[in-house]
Amino acid sequence: MSFDLVFFGGTGDLTWRKLMPALFQAFRHHKLPPDGRLLAVARDERSDDEYRAFIKERFAEVEPSKRPSEEEFARFAEMLHYRRMDLSQPEHYAGLKEWIDARGADVAVMFLATSPYLFPQICAQLGAVGLNGPRVRVVLEKPLGHDLASAQEINRVVRESFAEHQALRIDHYLGKPAVQNLMALRFGNALFEPLWRRESIANIQITLAEGLGVGTRGDFYDKTGALRDMIQNHALQLLTMIAMEPPSTNDADAIRDEKLKVLKSLRPFTPERVARDVVRGQYRAGTVDGRAVPGYLEEAKVPPDSRCETFVALRTEVQNWRWAGVPFYLRTGKRLAARDSQIVVNFREVPHPIFPGTRRANKLVIKLQPEDGLELHLLAAKGSGNNELLSPVSLDLDFDKAFPSERVGAYERLLLDAIAGRLNLFVRSDEQEQAWRWVEPVLDAWTDDAVGPRPYAAGSWGPPAASALVARDGCAWAEEQ
Ligand code: BG6
């Protein structure tokens, strides 16, 4: 299959930091269809060779095992092209169309790695020159809007040029191998389904913890905050994968219909519920990995009186027969104790304990990062001493060991899927809008709230109120258990 993959924002951070390294991995592992061109477009004047040199230099920042050798880069670079484009100029889009039509590849994918404010303009211009035919797809990177109205507006404009199945909204968490394994675990194995419900599960916790702070993105982050940056998209997408009903097929719409039902079943927030069930925090100076780090308000490009949240923990419920009454806790934050993203499914305790001592319920831990694996925590008799005393043990599955050399990173997976037209791991506009609909009352309540975010020390697990939130239900976060 021949393809053209065009990157708007071709010299930007996302392109050289994430997309090019991901494409190189796909190329190295012979997963990228060979008959392809990668075209970067941006504002300044450069030749193909200058752009290749720019990308080559940037590979120095990629982790060593993922860097190309001279010879590998030379072969990869043959696919790389560059074109100057002023995105406000219709004739520049016409020129792009000529460049694409001259070869007539089977597929042309337009990856919008620009500021989202440019999405409407780019989509309208692509449509105007006819770069929206059946073989064209457009990939949209987050943030897709900052509230429901702005997301709807972007979708409206995109829809004027592209059909829903041509518009691929990226949530890079859906590309993570652990998330695909969650689908495999639930719908490729019969074992868990009978247990995957309120009768057996006490609560579910989704934690997306980062050790890093906001770095150089202070200005962007301060207008965004953790709720928009991580909960509205990544955490909610994970929640839908955990809570959805089995889809009737593995087709994109069958899956997305079920995910949408989950989003529609989430308990709506009222101002009272926000006050009770949502904790927001902001990091202060502290120590991460043995290193002293500044607080959020001291970070570059952050206003000294900012009320932006760098941490959110919340409690919600999925209001349907399967999940009624089961708390779902979502938590994310920057400058937490560790980079550690996982989903913990806490099962109920045995109904009638016959062993003395430890009373620990089973739990299934789906680890997203830093490693990617599954742990099933059980109680077992050690076989020595007092056999009646049970000890906690776990069955561990490390996917890197189980499938060495097969692992495909999130952007690599999503780029290959975009080229192949597999839509399962992309977010449909109605899912995205429903997620905004659900978080918006929280944003509104915060605007009116005089208190602001609660401080927490960098290197901790967030404000103590986050522990109190789960303790209220008699639960504890994984690291407190
Ligand atoms: C992005 C957020 O979507 O996800 C960043 O904008 C965050 O703020 C990043 O750091 C986390 O992604 P990952 O894959 O490193 O967990």
Side-chain angles (χ1 to χ4, degrees), residues 142 172-173 176 210 217 229-230 234 334 339 369:
K142 73 179 270 270
H172 78 279
Y173 266 65
K176 292 193 190 271
E210 297 186 85
R217 297 161 79 221
D229 193 42
M230 298 292 283
H234 308 321
K334 300 230 180 253
R339 169 170 156 88
Q369 52 201 26

Side-chain angles (χ1 to χ4, degrees), residues 10-13 15-17 20-21 46 50-63 67-68 73:
T11 52
D13 256 38
T15 302
W16 64 260
R17 213 184 273 283
M20 287 296 166
R46 292 171 201 241
E50 281 166 341
Y51 185 72
R52 290 167 184 161
F54 164 79
I55 291 297
K56 188 176 180 190
E57 220 172 87
R58 292 299 180 286
F59 267 107
E61 298 192 26
V62 170
E63 76 179 75
R67 279 181 212 154
F73 187 80

Side-chain angles (χ1 to χ4, degrees), residues 22 28 31 36 40 44 124 161 171 186 194 210 240 247 284 298 330 337 362 369 379 387 389 462 480:
R28 175 182 260 178
K31 297 207 166 91
D44 43 348
S161 300
D171 184 307
R186 288 200 57 201
E210 297 186 85
T240 62
R284 297 285 179 263
E298 288 95 60
L330 311 186
N362 302 128
Q369 52 201 26
L379 285 177
N387 269 348
L389 281 184
E480 298 168 338

